Amino acid sequence: MESKSILNLSNLVDDDFAKAVEIIYNSKGRVIITGIGKSAIIANKIVATLNSTGTPSVFMHAADAIHGDLGLILEDDVVICISKSGNTPEIKVLIPLIKSAKNTIIAITGNNKSFLGTQADFVLNAFVEKEACPNNLAPTTSTTAQLVIGDALAVCLLELRGFSSNDFAKYHPGGALGKKLYLRVHDISSVNEKPKVGLDNSIREVIVEISEKMLGVTAVVEHDKIIGIITDGDLRRMLSKVDDFSKLTAKDIMGDKPKSIDSNAMAIDALEIMEANDISQLLVEENGKYAGVVHLHDLIKEGII
């Protein structure tokens, strides 16, 4: 029932939606979003979404507004009022006060002919035929519709602003989401050991290097350039094939086409390369020179996965 109502919302979008987006986009103030009951909870979520995508927004509870919080609204602010019926007592008191201050009012309501619908400057139609509640009472379908309209507003504004993933990262610096957007390979590899051997290093020296640096891998380097890689898997395969490895050197068992990544690349890109090639380590380069190793465990520890 809710999904059908959401699908129908696209048929209700009219010029008021486009005008509302432009009013908010061109506003020098903030977006104040208000409501009461379940609509207030939806208002809070829309505020959070707008703030995180570059549109400064503030929640104002409709009941609190008429008891002092009306002072939140500044001269250039745009007010979005959310109400299914559009006729709640608090809304009827609040709307004339906002209109007297000459702030633009955008309604998200399921009743265009309500007090809110007729008094608002722009109306975003959130009509639903019936609540998903068996008694057609608990706000379910209606609040879902309100939420979808709020998301639609946010996405339109995001696109108008040319809001990029870099901008998004500024507002989401914490947690796994933020790290996916700003954490770079060198942020991880720079704190790791930097295992490396030369072409002529003995197998014993290779084993010692891999063991001491504890990354399960070593780069084979010549003049600071990566020319090969040896993993602990390469060592196991060697031991299963030869009885005497005393005369073998790094060049005899190395892989000569190692996967690598630039140190300035995003950490999430390193993960994609690892997953695509079913590997656990990537060699890191900086200005064409060997710069270290990034390991799958590093990405797990940082919450990238």
Side-chain angles (χ1 to χ4, degrees), residues 5-295:
S5 295
I6 292 171
L7 187 62
N8 187 54
L9 288 178
S10 61
N11 299 319
L12 305 180
V13 174
D14 56 18
D15 287 345
D16 270 18
F17 184 91
K19 291 174 183 176
V21 170
E22 290 191 3
I23 285 289
I24 296 171
Y25 177 67
N26 293 315
S27 171
K28 295 180 181 178
R30 307 159 301 167
V31 178
I32 308 297
I33 308 183
T34 188
I36 195 163
K38 302 299 186 295
S39 294
I41 297 172
I42 297 300
N44 263 304
K45 191 274 176 185
I46 297 173
V47 164
T49 300
L50 289 173
N51 279 328
S52 70
T53 52
T55 300
S57 304
V58 177
F59 170 71
M60 179 183 70
H61 196 282
D64 292 336
I66 59 178
H67 292 284
D69 280 4
L70 200 61
L72 278 172
I73 305 175
L74 303 180
E75 182 179 353
D76 294 321
D77 290 344
V78 175
V79 179
I80 297 177
C81 187
I82 305 175
S83 173
K84 179 191 176 182
S85 70
N87 288 316
T88 59
E90 294 83 0
I91 295 299
K92 287 185 174 181
V93 174
L94 179 60
I95 295 304
L97 297 173
I98 298 172
K99 287 179 72 70
S100 68
K102 302 188 184 311
N103 292 91
T104 298
I105 300 174
I106 299 168
I108 298 179
T109 182
N111 184 0
N112 287 2
K113 296 180 180 180
S114 64
F115 180 82
L116 174 61
T118 56
Q119 293 297 309
D121 297 292
F122 304 99
V123 179
L124 309 187
N125 195 342
F127 171 78
V128 297
E129 188 173 336
K130 189 178 180 182
E131 299 288 4
C133 164
N135 301 312
N136 194 27
L137 294 173
T140 46
T141 312
S142 60
T143 47
T144 302
Q146 294 166 358
L147 187 64
V148 169
I149 290 174
D151 286 344
L153 280 174
V155 172
C156 288
L157 289 163
L158 179 154
E159 292 185 356
L160 276 176
R161 298 185 196 285
F163 199 80
S164 68
S165 59
N166 288 334
D167 297 315
F168 200 78
K170 294 176 185 177
Y171 296 97
H172 298 77
L177 177 58
K179 288 183 178 181
K180 287 181 181 179
L181 294 168
Y182 75 80
L183 193 68
R184 297 188 181 273
V185 170
H186 65 72
D187 297 325
I188 299 174
S189 62
S190 61
V191 298
N192 283 341
E193 295 284 356
K194 190 177 172 181
K196 64 178 180 178
V197 296
L199 282 169
D200 297 324
N201 279 109
S202 68
I203 296 302
R204 181 182 183 281
E205 291 170 322
V206 170
I207 293 173
V208 169
E209 184 70 0
I210 292 177
S211 298
E212 287 184 349
K213 302 302 169 60
M214 300 177 67
L215 289 168
V217 67
T218 183
V220 182
V221 177
E222 190 171 54
H223 305 303
D224 289 331
K225 300 283 187 179
I226 298 171
I227 56 175
I229 186 172
I230 301 173
T231 68
D232 50 11
D234 293 325
L235 293 174
R236 287 193 296 272
R237 284 185 288 273
M238 175 204 68
L239 291 172
S240 68
K241 292 178 181 179
V242 300
D243 295 323
D244 182 10
F245 57 84
S246 60
K247 294 182 180 180
L248 294 179
T249 61
K251 65 183 176 183
D252 295 318
I253 66 167
M254 73 177 190
D256 59 1
K257 294 181 181 179
K259 300 295 180 183
S260 63
I261 190 168
D262 188 81
S263 64
N264 202 43
M266 305 305 295
I268 189 67
D269 294 334
L271 174 61
E272 290 176 1
I273 294 173
M274 290 182 192
E275 289 180 336
N277 292 278
D278 195 23
I279 56 178
S280 300
Q281 306 101 335
L282 270 180
L283 301 184
V284 180
E285 292 183 299
E286 188 171 326
N287 298 321
K289 296 182 178 180
Y290 175 57
V293 176
V294 59
H295 196 287

